[in-house]
């Protein structure tokens, strides 16, 4: 094993072995070469050996070692932890193979197709996680490992060491062998698997005719869904969109929003006033679900229903269900986890899609800060785009745990890219780090027992000024807000260069709701 395991919570060190064209012996060929070098190590510790025999044995071992090294295939070792890389370099130096192995600090999510030959072997000992939240994110790391190998190295073989069979299964690879071994008091598993090449999974699209007979009152909604679907079809295909809004309260009698997440649909009902008869409201909900099923051609299990109403205090963070079902949706090159059952919000704000994809394009090699980060989707896009560091700040432990899983499923480490639980305003006051790109999407209102309430219209000026102190010259702050009557403080435009991106940032599926958010790019200097 050439690279020891990385720190818990980080992305594990992996050994990528690329087969040499003449390496017909596979692993056995490498082991035979290693055995030829072994006598040198044993003889150095053999006391009492006669000098002629000793010198002859040394010559034989040296010749054997040189011949073995010449036959070694290309070897690469990667780890997210710089200390682990140093240990690996030291071990390779002691073994006399330092010049034969390439070691590099790089995360799983940063590997590229050029890092893999046509065929090869990957050996890895991913982090298992000591706490429950670490175990959850570690399991998603296995999913990311299986996907990345399936995309970039489908003909390779993977050897994984793990402690949890369920986490190993999350990789989605085809197991060919497995051994159960003891590691002290722990049961461990060594599993040999083959990656699965990715299978295209087109998202739900609206059909031209209902999949079954609909009641007459549901037909207006079906017809509007069909009209919207036809309008969005070319855009969805051209932009390769997997998660989008299909309908947003277009008809007064159907006060719902319909979102598509891959092969699932979410119907969000905006709670009717108390003056509306509950039985009539229930009937309309049933018609809405039926219309969505008919338009998208899906089973009832693929349609999720939520009722939205004004939330107070911490109610917005409370669980609505206990199923814990997270689904992966693709956005650009990133994979993001959504939950359509447990919480009022799904974990992904669809209207920010253009800005997140812009971050993926602009953040290569840059330091990125994500404030009021929610589930860290913007941090993931920045890292997928090549950011060298991302710091994610939010006051909610639940959302930060979610963000850790989002990082893991994309092959990134929360050790290398910190997840900070803190009040953003207070954290900025103490922060000494500088950033090249900042994304800030504060809530309209937030209360906290440890500080005064945050009101975006009242406090955004001070928030922006604190951010600009942490922004490098030449950097950019993307500031977004969903308060419909928001007005940017006049002094901000006097002190900084402000570009209103609101019109640009509205994606095609939200054009009918132009007040969904405000968005600005703010830089040092003035126009």
């Amino acid at each position: 094993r050439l690279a020891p395991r990385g720190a818990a919570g980080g992305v594990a060190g992996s050994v990528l072995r690329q087969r040499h064209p003449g390496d017909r012996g596979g692993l056995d060929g490498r082991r035979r070469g290693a055995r030829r070098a072994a006598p040198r190590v044993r003889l150095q510790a053999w006391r009492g050996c006669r000098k002629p025999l000793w010198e002859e044995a040394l010559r034989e071992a040296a010749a054997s070692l040189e011949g073995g090294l010449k036959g070694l295939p290309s070897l690469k070792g990667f780890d997210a932890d710089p200390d682990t890389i140093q240990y690996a370099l030291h071990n390779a130096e002691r073994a006399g193979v330092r010049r034969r192995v390439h070691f590099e600090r790089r995360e799983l999510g940063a590997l590229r197709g050029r890092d893999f030959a046509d065929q090869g072997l990957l050996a890895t000992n991913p982090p298992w996680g000591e706490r429950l939240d670490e175990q959850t994110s570690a399991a998603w790391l296995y999913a990311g490992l299986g996907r990345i190998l399936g995309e970039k190295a489908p003909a390779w073989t993977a050897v994984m060491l793990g402690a949890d069979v369920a986490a190993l299964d999350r990789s989605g690879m085809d197991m060919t062998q497995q051994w159960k071994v003891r590691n002290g008091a722990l049961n461990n598993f060594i599993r040999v698997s083959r990656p699965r090449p990715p299978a295209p999974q087109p998202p739900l699209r609206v059909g031209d005719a209902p999949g079954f007979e609909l009641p007459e009152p549901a037909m207006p909604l079906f017809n509007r869904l069909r009209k919207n679907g036809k309008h969005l079809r070319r855009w969805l295909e051209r932009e390769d969109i997997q998660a989008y809004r299909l309908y947003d309260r277009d008809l007064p009698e159907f006060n719902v929003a319909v979102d598509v997440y891959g092969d699932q649909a979410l119907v969000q009902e905006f709670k009717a006033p108390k003056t509306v008869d509950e039985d009539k409201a229930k009937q309309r909900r049933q018609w809405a679900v039926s219309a969505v099923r008919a338009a998208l051609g899906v089973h009832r299990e693929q349609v999720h229903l939520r009722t939205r109403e004004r939330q107070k205090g911490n109610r917005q963070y409370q669980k609505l269900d206990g199923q814990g079902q997270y689904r992966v949706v693709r956005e650009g090159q990133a994979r993001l986890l959504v939950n359509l059952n447990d919480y009022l919000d799904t974990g992904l704000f669809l209207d920010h899609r253009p800005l997140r994809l812009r971050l993926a394009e602009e953040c290569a090699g840059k330091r990125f800060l994500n404030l009021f980060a929610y589930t860290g989707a913007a941090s993931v896009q920045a890292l997928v785009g090549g950011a060298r560091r991302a710091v994610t700040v939010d006051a909610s432990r639940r959302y930060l745990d979610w963000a850790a899983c989002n990082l893991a499923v994309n092959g990134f480490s929360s050790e290398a890219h910190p997840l900070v639980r803190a009040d953003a305003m207070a954290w900025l006051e103490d922060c000494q780090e500088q950033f090249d790109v900042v994304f800030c999407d504060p809530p309209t209102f937030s209360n906290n027992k440890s500080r005064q309430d945050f009101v975006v219209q009242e406090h955004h000026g001070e928030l922006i000024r604190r951010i600009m102190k942490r922004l490098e010259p030449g950097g950019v702050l993307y500031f977004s807000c969903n308060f419909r009557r928001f007005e940017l403080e006049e002094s901000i435009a006097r002190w900084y260069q402000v570009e209103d991106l609101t019109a640009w940032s509205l994606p095609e599926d939200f054009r009918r709701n132009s007040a969904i958010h405000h968005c600005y790019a703010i830089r040092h200097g003035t126009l």
Side-chain angles (χ1 to χ4, degrees):
R1 184 160 170 263
L2 299 180
R5 183 167 67 92
V11 175
S14 61
V15 177
L16 293 116
R17 173 177 176 271
Q18 296 178 325
R19 290 183 180 170
H20 189 274
D23 178 23
R24 297 182 179 179
L27 276 175
D28 291 337
R30 189 185 71 174
R31 289 169 179 160
R32 284 195 294 271
R35 290 193 189 105
R36 286 195 291 270
R40 181 178 183 182
V41 178
R42 289 199 296 269
L43 286 171
Q44 285 176 333
W46 191 357
R47 296 181 180 179
C49 180
R50 286 180 293 177
K51 186 175 181 179
L53 291 177
W54 168 258
E55 292 177 346
E56 181 182 355
L58 281 180
R59 288 193 295 271
E60 180 183 346
S64 177
L65 177 63
E66 184 63 26
L69 290 178
K70 288 181 179 178
L72 280 177
S74 172
L75 293 168
K76 297 182 180 181
F78 298 96
D79 200 286
D81 181 12
D83 291 337
T84 296
I85 294 296
Q86 291 302 313
Y87 290 136
L89 288 168
H90 178 65
N91 289 338
E93 189 72 38
R94 291 177 60 198
V97 295
R98 172 65 188 88
R99 292 182 296 174
R100 298 290 177 166
V101 187
H102 170 78
F103 290 108
E104 183 180 339
R105 181 191 176 278
R106 190 130 54 97
E107 295 175 272
L108 172 64
L111 295 181
R112 300 293 180 257
R114 62 178 178 270
D115 296 312
F116 300 89
D118 293 337
Q119 290 185 316
L121 173 75
L122 179 139
T124 182
N125 179 12
W128 305 340
E130 298 180 4
R131 303 192 308 268
L132 183 60
D133 58 333
E134 290 178 343
Q135 293 170 5
T136 302
S137 61
W140 284 110
L141 176 61
Y142 283 90
L145 173 65
R147 174 183 61 80
I148 290 171
L149 288 181
E151 292 176 348
K152 297 177 172 57
W156 278 47
T157 298
V159 180
M160 298 181 291
L161 174 64
D164 184 2
V165 171
L168 290 166
D169 290 343
R170 188 72 69 85
S171 73
M173 293 189 282
D174 296 322
M175 182 181 68
T176 58
Q177 291 176 287
Q178 178 170 284
W179 299 272
K180 183 177 180 180
V181 296
R182 297 288 293 180
N183 181 5
L186 300 176
N187 286 323
N188 288 172
F189 300 89
I190 300 174
R191 177 178 291 191
V192 181
S193 302
R194 296 301 298 267
R196 292 180 184 174
Q201 295 181 338
L204 296 176
R205 298 285 192 261
V206 176
D208 293 327
F212 52 85
E213 186 175 352
L214 279 173
E216 187 61 31
M219 287 304 297
L221 178 57
F222 170 82
N223 290 331
R224 181 55 63 96
L225 292 172
R226 184 174 59 178
K227 177 182 177 181
N228 291 353
K230 184 177 181 180
H231 169 73
L232 295 173
R233 186 173 301 164
R234 288 187 179 179
W235 170 74
L236 292 171
E237 293 174 354
R238 182 179 68 251
E239 302 295 331
D240 193 20
I241 304 295
Q242 300 288 305
Y244 62 96
R245 175 151 294 185
L246 177 60
Y247 172 91
D248 195 356
R249 294 179 281 182
D250 298 1
L251 305 175
E253 61 270 32
F254 289 101
N255 191 31
V256 301
V258 180
D259 296 329
V260 171
Y261 293 89
D263 63 350
Q264 306 289 311
L266 175 65
V267 179
Q268 300 182 74
E269 178 199 31
F270 294 84
K271 190 173 180 62
K274 295 181 179 179
T275 55
V276 176
D277 182 75
E278 178 58 31
D279 291 337
K280 291 183 178 179
K282 181 178 180 181
Q283 183 65 69
R284 285 186 177 177
R285 281 197 296 272
Q286 294 175 349
W287 290 336
V289 170
S290 296
V292 170
R293 286 186 54 210
L296 296 173
V298 296
H299 297 291
R300 179 63 184 86
E301 293 75 14
Q302 293 174 267
V303 180
H304 308 261
L305 179 64
R306 282 283 167 265
T307 300
R308 300 190 68 94
E309 57 181 315
R310 183 177 296 275
Q311 303 295 309
K312 296 181 180 180
N314 292 325
R315 288 188 61 196
Q316 59 184 317
Y317 305 113
Q318 293 177 355
K319 274 196 172 186
L320 304 177
D321 206 337
Q323 300 180 38
Q325 296 179 354
Y326 290 86
R327 303 174 186 276
V328 179
V329 296
R330 180 173 58 80
E331 183 180 84
Q333 299 302 311
R335 268 64 179 178
L336 302 169
L337 298 175
V338 296
N339 187 322
L340 307 182
N341 296 308
D342 290 353
Y343 304 102
L344 188 61
D345 290 318
T346 66
L348 186 63
F349 295 137
L350 297 180
D351 58 304
H352 280 153
R353 184 192 315 109
L355 188 53
R356 286 192 296 266
L357 293 175
R358 180 168 176 159
L359 292 172
E361 294 177 354
E362 294 184 357
C363 285
K366 297 180 179 179
R367 297 160 296 177
F368 176 71
L369 173 62
N370 188 3
L371 294 170
F372 300 96
Y374 192 34
T375 61
S379 300
V380 170
Q381 287 289 9
L383 290 169
V384 167
R388 72 172 187 262
R389 177 173 168 83
V391 177
T392 304
V393 181
D394 198 276
S396 168
R397 169 52 57 191
R398 179 175 293 117
Y399 287 153
L400 289 178
D401 290 344
W402 199 331
C405 295
N406 271 331
L407 289 179
V409 78
N410 288 276
F412 295 103
S413 161
S414 56
E415 292 287 324
H417 309 289
L419 304 175
V420 182
R421 185 182 183 186
D423 170 67
M425 289 282 277
W427 182 85
L428 285 166
E429 189 70 15
D430 298 331
C431 177
Q432 299 299 314
E433 188 173 355
Q434 295 294 108
F435 299 91
D436 304 297
V437 181
V438 180
F439 174 58
C440 181
D441 180 33
T444 298
F445 174 84
S446 175
N447 56 6
N448 191 305
K449 293 181 180 179
S450 62
R451 56 158 171 79
Q452 69 177 36
D453 295 344
F454 176 86
V455 181
V456 69
Q457 185 59 65
E458 180 179 349
H459 298 125
H460 75 272
E462 178 61 23
L463 172 62
I464 290 173
R465 284 187 285 272
R466 292 188 185 187
I467 294 173
M468 298 306 285
K469 292 179 181 179
R470 307 269 59 87
L471 185 69
E472 284 282 355
V476 58
L477 159 63
Y478 291 109
F479 183 86
S480 179
C481 162
N482 64 353
F483 180 44
R484 290 177 179 269
R485 298 188 302 276
F486 178 79
E487 293 183 7
L488 192 67
E489 186 178 299
E490 291 183 2
S491 64
I492 300 300
R494 291 199 304 268
W495 295 344
Y496 308 109
Q497 179 182 332
V498 177
E499 180 183 4
D500 191 337
L501 297 179
T502 302
W504 168 87
S505 68
L506 291 173
E508 189 64 33
D509 48 337
F510 283 87
R511 294 288 181 187
R512 300 184 302 277
N513 186 5
S514 59
I516 189 69
H517 68 236
H518 301 267
C519 184
Y520 305 90
I522 304 176
R523 299 174 174 86
H524 288 293
T526 56
L527 291 174

